Structures are given as C-alpha cells and as structure tokens.
Amino acid sequence: MKKMNYQNVKGTQDYLPNAESLRRDIKRTLEDVFIQYGCKPLETPIMNYTELLASKYGGGSEILEEMYTLTDRGERNLALRYDLTIPFAKVVAMNPTLKLPFKRYEIGKVFRDGPIKTGRLREFTQCDVDIVGVKSQIAEAELMMMALDAFRKLDIEITIQYNNRKLLTGMLQVFETDVDKISKVILILDKIEKIGVESVTKELTELELSTRTVTLIGEFLRDNRNRSYDYFKAFSKQNIQVKEGLMELQELESYLEFLGVNKQCVFNPFLARGLEIYTGTIYEIFLSDKSMTSSIGSGGRYDNAIGGLLGTNEKYSTVGISFGLDVIYAAISNWEEKGVDSSNVDYFIIPLGTQKESLLVARHLRDQGYKVDCEMSNKKLGKALDRANKENIRMVIIIGENEVKTNQYKVKDMVTGEERLESFQYKNA
C-alpha cells in the first residue's frame, strides 16, 4: 500500500496543546479588551464571492495576487477571505438599519498564498476591531489606546507608528509624481525601514520617475526636519491633501498628548501601508525592543469602502485595527518561562483501583466550576505524579480503597508537598 502524504500543506501549522493553550490565552486577553471597549461580536463567512474581495475597495493588486480562488458546483467564482475588513464593510453595506456609530470585533482565520515568514503563514488568525460612523480622530485615538491596553495585559512593550495617507499622497503630488505611479511609490516608501533610503531611491529610479521627482523625494527622505509637523506647513499651502492630512494628524496628536501616550505613539512620515483602501490616518504596531522587525498589528481609516460596495460616492467614516494572533504568539518566544500550564486544569485525580469513585469526585468538582482531569490509563502512583509535575498541575487528588471506605479523598499540593484529607460521600453521591 502506498504511504499517504500526511504532511501539512505548506504555510499551515498544527498547534499542540502547549502552544494552543498560549494562543487561546492571547485570544481571550484580546477579546476581553475588545469587550471592555464596548465592541460587539461579529462573525462573517470565510468564503465570499470573488467579485467582492477583488473590488477596488479590497486589498489592492498586491493582495489579490495572493488570494485563494475556487468554484462551487454551480460554477460560481468564490474566494477565501484574505482579511476581515472587506467582509465587515459588506455587512454594513447589507444592513442599512445598523445603528451608527457601530463598533465591532471579529476573530477568525484568513488565507493568503503569499511568502512565508516568522509569524506569517498562509492560514493565519486576525483579531480585528472596526468603528463606522465617527468622523473625528477620536476613533483612531480610541483604537490606539485599546492596542496599548491589550499589549500591556499581554506584558508586551510596543510602539505605535502613525502617519496619514493624505499627507503622504499630497507630498508626492507636490514632488510632481506621475498620478498613475503614486500607489507604486507608496509601496516602495513602505519598505524604507527594511531596506534603507539608498535602496528606496534606487527602486524609485527604476520606476522611471522623472529625475526631478526622484531628487525631491530623496531630499524629503533625508531631511532631518521631516519628523516635525512644522516641516509640512509650507507644503500645506500648496496642496489640499497635505493640508487635510496635517490637520488630522494634529487633531490625533492632541488626543494622544491629553491621554499621556504620545511617547508610545510616534509620528513616522514614511509609514505608508501599501493597501490602496486607506484614505486617512494609518498606523502599525511594533515591538519596542525590535526583536521582531515586522509589525504585530496595523490599521487605518478607510472611508470609501462601504459606499463603494453600495455603488455610491457616499462616505462612511470607518477606521479599523487588526492584531495578528500568530505573529503575537511568535513574539512571545519565552512563553515556557512565563509559566503557561500545558494542561490548564485545577485538579488532577489519580485513582488507585477506584476509577468509578474518581469519576464521581470529578463530577462533583466540575459542578463547582473547577477544571478537572482524571488519570485513566492505570498508571502507578509515581508515574501519575510525574505527569502532574511535567504538566505543571499543582493540585492532585489521590483516591484509594482506604479513602473510599472512610468517605474521603486526599489532596496533594505538588509545590509545597502538603497533603490534606477532604470529606466526600461516595455511596450517596
């Protein structure tokens, strides 16, 4: 018989109990913060019509190349969602009676046939929050505060970099960038942190921009005043996009300063976020210690998506943020030292020839809300205690024939070694 190919599909991964316990802890922490911030739960289908995900209000040409497509029995063109943003925009477009502002969260798997790297597979989990119906930058401030709270509870120090697409697009217009090349230039600028100014300038030259445009962009990249809003004030008189972007950034910063988080949230004039969907403020979340170069969360404002899906020019003020569960998991590389229990139980019951009685005790404790596991493979006491130690289970219950006769069970603390007897009525349980 031919041996079956039982390897995982490239870009997918199994998570064994130790790893999955941590992932679920991360997910619960994020979800608790989302709920604390008044977000309502939402779930959308993994499969969508290709037309929806491939619309110009979707992820743009770069992501569309990574989209998994398929057909059903009716030969309809379908695709697996590559993020949770467009499915959310679809929900708002399909439900006009939703009361605005509407703030939702969704945690679910998405799929991209793209390059594989640390924290980014082809099947991965996103944790998203979006707010629709708020024009003010208070929405961005709320989401950035939420991110800081979430990572504080995960004991991860982060820095949030932010920018504004209007500001960046307007500057490129001032530098006389060809209109049809602005999106490509933004994609190149988005790589400046990884490849440096010289490599970015080289790629801009290869894009066949005019010498003047490449020179002006190069001067912009190298000018050490570009981290100050004052640098952009002169340009705001030449370009309405620069003016609007600068006003939005200053409004956002006023919130961040008032909340006392402006040191953790840093303006980066070159942050671009390649997706064409964004219309205003954008941001990315990075580890403060820079132990991982890729972002562990990101988001921004996309006011045209919902109206675009409805086939109108109406703007729906919408801003979102997304946390990558897998990349956060990868970032917590020392999770074993953080004391994550692989079994995640309160009591481990060891029967010594008393399997039926042990199940009664287990049911009794579970009825009280405790998490209980039983040794069911007839291991000797020593080996069963070894298992409890290896899985970091602190409280062990030992039930032998003598305990049953005296209507008791023995509780052993695996950390202190202390033992105590608890009463339990076996016959009438």
Side-chain angles (χ1 to χ4, degrees):
M1 181 182 294
K2 184 179 179 182
K3 184 178 180 180
M4 181 183 295
N5 181 8
Y6 54 84
Q7 299 297 316
N8 285 341
V9 174
K10 189 175 182 181
T12 66
Q13 184 172 329
D14 295 315
Y15 293 97
L16 297 181
N18 283 13
E20 185 58 19
S21 292
L22 176 62
R23 285 166 54 82
R24 293 193 181 201
D25 283 344
I26 296 169
K27 191 186 298 185
R28 276 192 292 268
T29 299
L30 292 175
E31 186 168 20
D32 287 346
V33 173
F34 297 163
I35 293 170
Q36 189 177 25
Y37 272 69
C39 304
K40 294 179 172 62
L42 187 71
E43 183 169 348
T44 57
I46 289 174
M47 285 192 300
N48 293 269
Y49 287 110
T50 304
E51 182 182 5
L52 170 69
L53 297 181
S55 73
K56 68 177 183 178
Y57 304 101
S61 58
E62 189 176 30
I63 284 186
L64 295 185
E65 293 175 2
E66 302 177 356
M67 186 168 63
Y68 283 99
T69 58
L70 62 152
T71 56
D72 63 9
R73 293 183 181 183
E75 297 185 355
R76 286 172 282 262
N77 294 319
L78 308 177
L80 302 183
R81 64 187 182 193
Y82 49 76
D83 68 11
L84 301 176
T85 302
I86 292 304
F88 166 67
K90 176 212 67 178
V91 168
V92 178
M94 289 176 58
N95 295 273
T97 59
L98 277 176
K99 186 177 179 181
L100 302 182
F102 178 58
K103 187 190 297 184
R104 83 86 166 87
Y105 78 90
E106 182 173 7
I107 299 175
K109 287 196 171 184
V110 298
F111 306 85
R112 294 185 191 178
D113 186 11
I116 299 168
K117 59 182 180 180
T118 302
R120 172 55 63 87
L121 300 174
R122 288 175 176 167
E123 176 189 61
F124 54 99
T125 302
Q126 284 190 335
C127 312
D128 282 22
V129 171
D130 291 85
I131 303 173
V132 58
V134 179
K135 293 181 180 180
S136 165
Q137 293 289 301
I138 192 173
E140 281 87 341
E142 170 91 338
L143 294 183
M144 291 165 80
M145 276 293 296
M146 184 184 69
L148 292 171
D149 281 348
F151 285 103
R152 177 176 52 80
K153 292 184 178 181
L154 289 170
D155 196 25
I156 299 176
E157 292 189 13
I158 62 166
T159 300
I160 302 177
Q161 296 184 14
Y162 64 92
N163 194 14
N164 192 288
R165 283 295 289 269
K166 292 178 183 176
L167 183 82
L168 188 58
T169 300
M171 291 298 291
L172 293 177
Q173 291 172 351
V174 170
F175 300 148
E176 301 174 13
T177 308
D178 295 341
V179 175
D180 60 341
K181 293 181 179 178
I182 285 180
S183 294
K184 292 180 180 179
V185 172
I186 287 174
L187 284 174
I188 294 171
L189 294 180
D190 202 36
K191 298 187 285 186
I192 191 169
E193 296 280 349
K194 297 177 182 177
I195 65 176
V197 175
E198 297 305 321
S199 296
V200 164
T201 305
K202 181 181 177 183
E203 289 195 25
L204 292 174
T205 302
E206 293 172 352
L207 197 57
E208 297 183 351
L209 298 173
S210 71
T211 303
R212 173 177 167 78
T213 296
V214 174
T215 300
L216 290 172
I217 294 176
E219 290 175 354
F220 168 51
L221 298 179
R222 294 180 178 88
D223 197 317
N224 55 19
R225 298 171 300 165
N226 58 31
R227 298 280 170 167
S228 168
Y229 294 148
D230 289 338
Y231 172 83
F232 297 94
K233 287 182 178 178
F235 297 102
S236 68
K237 297 176 182 178
Q238 304 175 43
N239 185 280
I240 187 63
Q241 290 267 68
V242 175
K243 182 179 180 180
E244 290 180 0
L246 185 59
M247 289 175 60
E248 290 175 6
L249 285 169
Q250 290 174 322
E251 181 191 353
L252 174 60
E253 188 175 53
S254 71
Y255 283 108
L256 300 177
E257 285 184 352
F258 188 82
L259 294 167
V261 298
N262 51 312
K263 290 185 179 179
Q264 293 167 280
C265 303
V266 181
F267 170 57
N268 178 355
F270 311 128
L271 183 70
R273 300 235 63 219
L275 301 185
E276 297 174 11
I277 189 175
Y278 293 112
T279 59
T281 301
I282 50 176
Y283 36 79
E284 291 199 7
I285 304 167
F286 297 91
L287 296 179
S288 295
D289 63 8
K290 299 182 180 180
S291 58
M292 183 177 288
T293 56
S294 59
S295 65
I296 58 175
S298 58
R301 181 170 286 270
Y302 55 105
D303 289 351
N304 296 334
I306 296 170
L309 295 180
L310 288 169
T312 70
N313 292 323
E314 184 178 358
K315 289 186 181 295
Y316 285 75
S317 300
T318 315
V319 60
I321 194 166
S322 178
F323 305 94
L325 177 65
D326 303 87
V327 74
I328 295 172
Y329 166 75
I332 308 178
S333 57
N334 63 335
W335 65 273
E336 288 181 329
E337 287 74 31
K338 294 198 173 189
V340 177
D341 296 339
S342 56
S343 62
N344 194 30
V345 300
D346 299 313
Y347 290 101
F348 179 50
I349 299 178
I350 302 174
L352 303 177
T354 57
Q355 278 76 7
K356 293 178 181 177
E357 291 82 0
S358 295
L359 291 179
L360 280 176
V361 174
R363 184 176 69 179
H364 170 71
L365 293 171
R366 287 166 182 155
D367 286 345
Q368 296 180 58
Y370 293 108
K371 298 183 285 292
V372 183
D373 192 10
C374 284
E375 170 56 53
M376 294 184 284
S377 57
N378 292 320
K379 288 181 179 177
K380 292 183 179 180
L381 179 59
K383 289 187 175 180
L385 291 173
D386 284 344
R387 175 189 164 187
N389 275 324
K390 289 177 181 178
E391 297 189 8
N392 297 319
I393 303 172
R394 179 164 184 168
M395 307 307 294
V396 171
I397 293 174
I398 302 169
I399 305 174
E401 292 181 3
N402 188 57
E403 282 77 21
V404 173
K405 287 178 182 178
T406 57
N407 286 316
Q408 295 175 316
Y409 57 79
K410 184 186 294 182
V411 182
K412 181 178 177 66
D413 188 322
M414 299 298 289
V415 175
T416 66
E418 295 179 358
E419 295 182 350
R420 71 176 189 271
L421 291 172
E422 295 282 350
S423 299
F424 184 79
Q425 194 69 32
Y426 291 96
K427 292 184 180 180
N428 298 320

